[in-house]
Amino acid sequence: MPLCRSTLLTTMLVAKSLGFRAAPALRAARTQVTMAAMSADAIAEKCLVAKKASGLTYDAIADKMGYTNAYTCQLLLGQAQLKAEAKAKLQDLLPKLDKATLEAMSEAPFRGFDDDILKEPNVYRTYEAITHYGKAIKALINEKFGDGIMSAIDFYLTVGETTGKMGERRVVITFNGKFLPFIEQMADDNSAPSPQG
């Protein structure tokens, strides 16, 4: 029975970290992953070709899928998982997407980014705004909610547009994340304490 992609990748990473040489079974597993898995870049390339062929915008696809526009974009860039119940709908919207790509999109993705993205002016300016306002954002969250953070897992992101007083177009980026309070670590509440040597 073929192993799932995540199991194969985990096995390979553990073996590598422990310094094991690839045994025949592990080499076979690596071959299986290479053949079965599709990188986020490869998914993105196929999705963007299919999106262009469809003539649809991210907003149009998002509206028809019921997603936020940022999540839709993440999905097409290989940074979010395509759920089984949404696969047929996406295939209808982007008929150029092949079965292999849709299957790859259904796997839990390896989320991440290339450091070079921070050199891109659009991304750099957004990053700069977050870091510049970082202390103020933290102070306001703490004042309004208490000691904790905004989740980036239970999280919604949308990119929109408004018009300024002078008639200029303005970008509106909205972060909507669940508040996660830091806990007071009471020993009696710890359901899995470490053994005390």
Side-chain angles (χ1 to χ4, degrees):
M1 177 185 296
L3 297 173
C4 72
R5 175 186 172 194
S6 59
T7 301
L8 292 169
L9 289 173
T10 302
T11 302
M12 288 160 53
L13 289 171
V14 169
K16 183 177 180 182
S17 70
L18 295 175
F20 294 163
R21 293 186 176 223
L26 191 54
R27 284 197 297 272
R30 183 183 292 117
T31 301
Q32 186 180 336
V33 168
T34 302
M35 292 173 64
M38 185 181 293
S39 71
D41 287 344
I43 289 172
E45 183 178 350
K46 289 177 177 289
C47 285
L48 295 181
V49 167
K51 174 184 173 289
K52 185 174 182 179
S54 75
L56 295 172
T57 64
Y58 288 116
D59 281 344
I61 297 169
D63 286 344
K64 293 178 184 298
M65 295 291 295
Y67 294 149
T68 64
N69 57 7
Y71 186 83
T72 300
C73 197
Q74 285 285 80
L75 185 63
L76 299 186
L77 293 175
Q79 291 292 308
Q81 185 183 40
L82 179 63
K83 305 301 184 186
E85 59 273 17
K87 193 183 296 184
K89 188 180 290 187
L90 184 62
Q91 190 164 35
D92 287 343
L93 293 170
L94 305 179
K96 292 282 187 182
L97 277 184
D98 57 77
K99 184 177 179 181
T101 304
L102 287 164
E103 288 301 319
M105 293 172 73
S106 300
E107 296 283 341
F110 188 88
R111 294 172 175 85
F113 67 93
D114 185 329
D115 289 340
D116 281 346
I117 191 67
L118 294 177
K119 298 174 184 176
E120 203 286 323
N122 226 326
V123 176
Y124 176 77
R125 289 302 178 201
T126 306
Y127 175 77
E128 182 183 48
I130 293 294
T131 53
H132 179 74
Y133 285 93
K135 286 185 177 179
I137 292 169
K138 172 183 163 44
L140 288 163
I141 288 174
N142 291 159
E143 183 175 81
K144 290 175 180 294
F145 297 94
D147 186 22
I149 63 170
M150 178 182 69
S151 173
I153 303 297
D154 190 339
F155 178 82
Y156 298 87
L157 170 63
T158 55
V159 178
E161 179 179 349
T162 190
T163 303
K165 290 184 178 181
M166 304 300 292
E168 77 279 14
R169 298 174 72 194
R170 303 182 69 85
V171 178
V172 179
I173 301 174
T174 302
F175 288 2
N176 175 359
K178 179 180 180 180
F179 177 71
L180 301 175
F182 285 107
I183 66 166
E184 185 178 22
Q185 296 187 24
M186 303 301 293
D188 288 344
D189 296 334
N190 186 358
S191 60
S194 300
Q196 301 297 313

